[in-house]
DNA sequence: AAAAAGTTGTCACATTTGTTACATTTGAAA
DNA sequence: TTTCAAATGTAACAAATGTGACAACTTTTT
């Protein structure tokens, strides 16, 4: 189940052999956490790159009320903390929780700088990752600026369906309520409204998109 | 009113002479816009670094309803678009509007890459900027996850006051309503509530913080 | 197959926020 | 100073969302 390191985005374009050579030149750690563990807590100093090579984690922001806003799910292979490593206030903005057994490779910031000098390709990969990250955060921000819940849900359904007319929801209404930062019954109501509008047909996790163009319009309300 | 280039964050630590030498090695443009102009529109390809050297701009996301969510104000010297240059989907996530006459230096992506090779310092500055940018976006995101408007306003007041007991608001309620993504009368109500709670005293733009610790608590509701 | 746990549909009611409107106050311009 | 545009205080009502609850249904576990 563990992934090959060459599939990790920061090592894009490097083959196993080159990669082994490069990695032999720096110091790094391996770390494991068991299911449910708090891998990183919000506010903790961000001074090392964490590469998830096995398992799944989720990132969530604990809002001040104690409730949490789920930011994203990640599964191996992926790179955590990339965008926060070099900032002024380099702290993690989220809690990261292990959803399964997870394994990481941990590269200290100083060693990462060495990597940049060794391989131009790694630097370019890193720049690309960090930019995508900022794009991701902007998208999240736009998403939360969608005021109406119906619009949020419509947008979500547009993305989840990917052209298909029928599909199964990956998330429960409870999870959606965390993603959208609303109460659970509100999610149910929003589904109901889209159904009453004749835009979708939904029964438990099974969704049938009846009118995709109306769904697109519903994103704009 | 135009600022010296050495005060721009991406050129931190370089003196005028070194900077002139470096800049002579690359190709870049100067661009001006008049007040009110749309400097960059959301969705436009982001393939050049824009350095604001004179004037003020604001960035806002047009939400699908046509309403806009103000993201930030920027004034010279500052660097735009840094975080989106190298991503997969390198488009601007915001509209950028000139609030005064503005002047820019525009450096194409390819030339920026040259700069990185010429000066390690510029690369490091760039990494730092882009990380701070991601932090900024995360903070925005957390802010919008503050559900209650009273909490948003409290948080805003905590930041704006900076230790002081009395201060003048920099933004009108109308502007605040854009920042918070709510309706204007709601902002007024939130002020009123904080006043009724005995936490602040507010009369038009003049704010008096009566109980800072309660204000801090109010952020968590 | 049966039991347990989790998910969903749904309700009534409280609370918050949006909308529209208008009078008042302030600050800037004439 | 006077005038005027903008900002603010405030109200009534509409709409959306939160809360708590419970039954019905699914899925997973035993």
């Amino acid at each position: 189940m563990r992934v090959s390191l060459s599939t990790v985005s920061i090592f894009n374009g490097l083959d196993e052999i080159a990669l082994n050579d490069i990695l032999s030149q720096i110091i790094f750690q391996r770390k494991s956490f068991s299911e449910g563990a708090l891998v990183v807590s919000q506010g903790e100093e961000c001074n090392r790159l964490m590469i998830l090579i096995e398992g799944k984690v989720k990132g969530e922001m604990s809002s001040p009320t104690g409730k949490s806003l789920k930011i994203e799910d990640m599964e191996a292979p992926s790179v955590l903390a990339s965008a926060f490593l070099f900032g002024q206030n380099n702290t993690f903005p989220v809690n990261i929780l292990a959803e399964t057994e997870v394994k990481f490779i941990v590269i200290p910031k100083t060693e990462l700088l060495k990597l940049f000098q060794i391989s131009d390709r790694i630097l370019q990969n890193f720049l690309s990752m960090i930019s995508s990250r900022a794009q991701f955060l902007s998208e999240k921000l736009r998403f939360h600026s969608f005021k109406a819940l119906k619009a949020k849900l419509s947008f979500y359904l547009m993305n989840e369906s990917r052209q298909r007319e029928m599909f199964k929801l990956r998330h429960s209404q409870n999870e959606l309520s965390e993603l959208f930062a609303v109460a659970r019954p509100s999610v149910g109501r929003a589904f109901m409204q889209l159904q009453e509008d004749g835009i979708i047909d939904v029964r438990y996790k099974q969704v049938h998109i009846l009118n995709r163009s109306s769904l697109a319009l519903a994103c704009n309300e």
Side-chain angles (χ1 to χ4, degrees), chain A:
Chain A
M1 195 60 98
R2 179 179 303 187
V3 297
S4 153
L5 274 187
S6 56
T7 67
V8 179
S9 52
I10 194 170
F11 299 130
N12 260 353
L14 300 174
D15 60 35
E16 289 285 341
I17 300 159
L19 191 50
N20 281 331
D21 177 46
I22 289 172
L23 286 179
S24 70
Q25 299 177 55
I26 65 159
I27 297 167
F28 63 91
Q29 285 185 298
R30 291 175 190 280
K31 265 198 170 176
S32 301
F33 297 86
S34 48
E35 183 177 338
L38 179 62
V39 177
V40 165
S41 66
Q42 191 170 323
E44 194 174 313
E45 189 186 356
C46 178
N47 50 14
R48 70 277 183 196
L49 193 70
M50 302 189 68
I51 301 176
L52 179 63
I53 53 170
E54 190 178 329
K56 292 183 191 179
V57 299
K58 68 174 171 181
E60 48 182 43
M61 265 179 192
S62 71
S63 90
T65 61
K67 291 189 181 175
S68 62
L69 173 69
K70 184 188 273 189
I71 302 297
E72 65 183 322
D73 294 306
M74 281 168 292
E75 68 186 292
S78 57
V79 182
L80 280 62
S82 52
F84 306 110
L85 213 40
F86 293 100
Q88 307 281 356
N89 165 29
N90 53 338
T91 58
F92 281 94
V94 294
N95 290 317
I96 295 179
L97 297 161
E99 295 206 298
T100 64
E101 281 254 341
V102 290
K103 290 186 178 156
F104 288 96
I105 285 181
V106 180
I107 303 178
K109 186 169 161 179
T110 49
E111 298 299 309
L112 183 60
L113 286 168
K114 282 189 204 165
L115 281 185
F116 291 163
Q117 297 193 322
I118 295 169
S119 163
D120 220 55
R121 182 60 193 257
I122 291 182
L123 172 61
Q124 281 174 36
N125 288 340
F126 187 80
L127 282 172
S128 170
M129 285 164 47
I130 204 175
S131 284
S132 297
R133 203 72 202 137
Q135 287 282 0
F136 171 83
L137 289 170
S138 296
E139 261 312 305
K140 275 278 167 201
L141 203 49
R142 190 200 330 281
F143 184 68
H144 281 284
S145 78
F146 284 35
K147 294 291 301 284
L149 177 53
K150 210 165 132 187
K152 282 185 186 177
L153 179 60
S154 302
F155 187 78
Y156 169 86
L157 290 174
M158 287 291 282
N159 286 331
E160 286 293 298
S161 63
R162 319 187 158 281
Q163 331 294 357
R164 288 169 301 174
E165 281 207 343
M166 305 189 69
F167 65 102
K168 280 216 157 191
L169 291 171
R170 287 187 306 164
H171 300 100
S172 69
Q173 289 189 3
N174 220 327
E175 290 174 303
L176 292 180
S177 74
E178 283 183 25
L179 275 172
F180 302 161
V182 297
R184 203 266 303 170
S186 302
V187 176
R189 278 188 289 239
F191 270 114
M192 221 177 57
Q193 286 167 20
L194 287 176
Q195 179 145 5
E196 279 168 7
D197 296 350
I199 294 174
I200 63 170
D201 203 44
V202 57
R203 185 173 171 72
Y204 296 93
K205 289 212 159 19
Q206 190 63 46
V207 177
H208 187 178
I209 295 183
L210 301 173
N211 188 335
R212 184 169 290 272
S213 55
S214 296
L215 186 60
L217 285 177
C219 295
N220 303 346
E221 282 171 10

